[in-house]
Amino acid sequence: MQIEVPREFERLGAVRIYGLQKVYELDAGPAMTEPGRDDAIVRSLPAEAIYEVQREMAIVVPVRSERLKLIEGVLVGIPNPCLVIVVSNSPREPIDRHFLEQDSIADFCRFSRKQIMVVHQKDPVVAAAFAAGGYGDVLDDLGLVRDGKAEGMMIGTVLAKMLGKRYVGFVDSDNYFPGAVNEYVREYAAGFLLNGGKDTVVRISWHSKPKIVEQSLFFAKWGRSSRRCNRALNQLLSHYTGFETEIVKTGNAGEHAISLDLAMSMRYATGYSVEPYHYIDLLEQYGGVFPTEHGDMRRLVRICQIESRNPHLHADKGDAHVAEMIIGSLATIYHSRLCPASLQKKIDTELRQGGYLKDGETLPPVRIYPSLAGLAMDRFAASAQEIVERRLGAPPLARPMVS
Amino acid sequence: MQIEVPREFERLGAVRIYGLQKVYELDAGPAMTEPGRDDAIVRSLPAEAIYEVQREMAIVVPVRSERLKLIEGVLVGIPNPCLVIVVSNSPREPIDRHFLEQDSIADFCRFSRKQIMVVHQKDPVVAAAFAAGGYGDVLDDLGLVRDGKAEGMMIGTVLAKMLGKRYVGFVDSDNYFPGAVNEYVREYAAGFLLNGGKDTVVRISWHSKPKIVEQSLFFAKWGRSSRRCNRALNQLLSHYTGFETEIVKTGNAGEHAISLDLAMSMRYATGYSVEPYHYIDLLEQYGGVFPTEHGDMRRLVRICQIESRNPHLHADKGDAHVAEMIIGSLATIYHSRLCPASLQKKIDTELRQGGYLKDGETLPPVRIYPSLAGLAMDRFAASAQEIVERRLGAPPLARPMVS
């Protein structure tokens, strides 16, 4: 991959948010005999270096009632060196959709001789492992893991940690283009390579999103939700730095990857708020605004934003989904202790004008889970061993799994 | 890349047409310590092997008035080890669109430190080189290379030969997804790897082509032209083998690659007929039907067909374009000496029923160029040296160009 180094960044305490980086070549080929120039504006990252990072990376694919053809395409796109963890919350009744998923993934594993871990969000073994690890926050009244994409991502993150991985990345399961998935995972590796891999978040800004406008395709740059979410995050930053900024382009980025140690120390918001809340959590914890409470200011946290070259064409989830995302993402900002009254007022007005808040309603707070640092990994692992052993596909050919 | 071995083939004389091959992984990662099993149904082709083939490959991108954003995306998708040759036939008046292309490609080369050869189809130097090589067939009354995609592809092929490449591949410049382009070029390499690289044609069958149907996307498998073209080619084959077949899936495949020695010995049809005519030419020359005329039956020619995983989303060229393709591709079959009277009658009826042929009209024959074997390469190269030296971009970092 050839990728430009970021041209700018905004800093708040120990958090650095880098400007959007452009990609110049999806595949830079193998290493050249002459070493790449470190001072170059565009860095060439050879395939070997990319693979080395990917070998330490788990890719989590959250699934919920997705078409099997799309899931298979996503699996085809994930580079081989990555460990794949599918976390499904598809219904098991009246039709056992999860059974169909397992069957289809097992088929893919048979042909590709690949191992894939498939786990159901409502599996009692998963819930028992969280309980054993002393992290009951994620469980509902029935004692099972709560519904929600964030909760599935947390399962994937903990399993990746248990299996000794160093990075965890996420890709949505409704992508029509395997080649786009392949690009995202390369970009995750590129982001870690450029930033040393420690305490780094890599977030993808889609090149564009094709929409049908008057019987032809229009390649929209910003979605209705991400436009609002990015603006509010930038206003929050500006409030503290005193400089107006447009640095944040990936407030809603579903496609992102995190250094696993950092991921284990972050708090998570439920549902669609999970992605923008990464910004809020990192700014609250490492932004240095409340110096007495938290703030290991020596832990430099880097948020790296990369613009993908492929457009993003995914299954259409409809307008209700967009409204939920808008409300969920702005709520994380509104309810942050960092949010000044002036920005709260702006967000409130915006939501009322857009019809997302009715008269008399107030923006409900979002459920926040405490950091996974509170989870006793050894006890979780002892309980979850069964899930790891249940993974689909033949034993790996030569590359033993880290455990 | 992980790819299945073909499950079947049809044979006519020395020509083998392999059944469609499915891809199971876009990126199989680096070589494993344990060697891959040669007897496997799905072969894992490590990145190193793919790159080794790509280093000997030129990718020709025919351009005609394409949007610059799309051209840049296609260049981003081509793997680094390949030599890129852009052959443009964009108008130079009233607006010099080719100048804008050169400017935009030079910009891309500057950032990616890549070398790209850009040549205009109407460049008098190119025409002079063909004339010097004793191959005037491709020139028009003004002494310049004729208009047409096939003619541009022939320029690219000869330049690739001149630069010592072993394979030549083609990708269209109107693709919205750089990741799809990346996949095609990997598949070219996979096809050559699986077949030994000699006398091989690799043709891509698109996974699907998204179309707008009633305000949502429908992923169509077969286009209006490819459906007809494949059927006619299969009927032609069946006539000689005595077995009905559906083996041909890539009659119209714009995405294809050829061993360069084979490409230099093939005849070319003009315009949109160029792709289906590959089948016709190879069957006429190596099918063993006219044993007294041609037919080096020891030259085993393999046509390998691979189904891409990415859908193909390209700029919409409209209905006139489809009609031209239908007429052009069926004409190559109709006018082949191999075509039995019964198939000629079927084609004629089909075109009349579809409104492509009016009463009193007959299907016009297609211009066929003789094989490029008749071109004196040394004299062409001496004249064309100037074009090679004019290539855009900085000198390569470490990988010297073969010359």
Side-chain angles (χ1 to χ4, degrees), chain A residues 2 4 22-37 40-44 47 51 54-55 69 72-73 75-81 107-108 110-114 176-180 182-183 186 207 210 212-217 219 309-313 397-399, chain B residues 2 4 22-37 40-44 47 51 54-55 69 72-73 75-81 107-108 110-114 176-180 182-183 186 207 210 212-217 219 309-313 397-399:
Chain A
Q2 284 210 58
E4 67 170 352
K22 212 171 158 172
V23 168
Y24 282 94
E25 208 170 42
L26 296 185
D27 183 353
M32 310 229 193
T33 42
E34 219 172 284
R37 289 168 298 177
I41 286 166
V42 176
R43 291 281 301 277
S44 177
Y51 289 141
Q54 288 174 347
R55 259 194 289 265
K69 258 185 199 297
E72 184 182 325
L75 298 179
V76 166
I78 298 173
N80 183 286
D107 216 50
F108 171 76
R110 190 172 312 122
F111 280 98
S112 64
R113 297 178 311 246
K114 214 174 155 164
Y176 280 108
F177 280 78
N182 192 265
E183 181 190 3
R186 279 161 188 258
H207 174 275
I212 300 170
V213 178
E214 291 171 2
Q215 288 296 308
S216 73
L217 284 176
F219 289 78
R309 278 288 182 166
N310 282 290
H312 190 88
L313 188 59
L397 264 180
R399 202 176 293 134
Chain B
Q2 283 209 58
E4 68 170 351
K22 214 172 154 170
V23 169
Y24 282 94
E25 209 169 43
L26 296 185
D27 183 354
M32 310 231 191
T33 43
E34 219 171 285
R37 290 170 296 177
I41 287 164
V42 176
R43 292 281 301 276
S44 176
Y51 289 141
Q54 288 174 348
R55 259 195 288 264
K69 258 185 198 299
E72 185 182 324
L75 299 180
V76 166
I78 298 172
N80 183 287
D107 216 49
F108 171 77
R110 191 172 310 123
F111 280 97
S112 64
R113 296 176 312 245
K114 214 174 154 163
Y176 280 109
F177 280 79
N182 192 264
E183 180 189 4
R186 280 161 187 259
H207 174 277
I212 300 168
V213 178
E214 290 170 3
Q215 286 298 307
S216 73
L217 283 177
F219 289 78
R309 279 287 183 166
N310 283 291
H312 190 88
L313 188 60
L397 264 180
R399 202 175 295 133

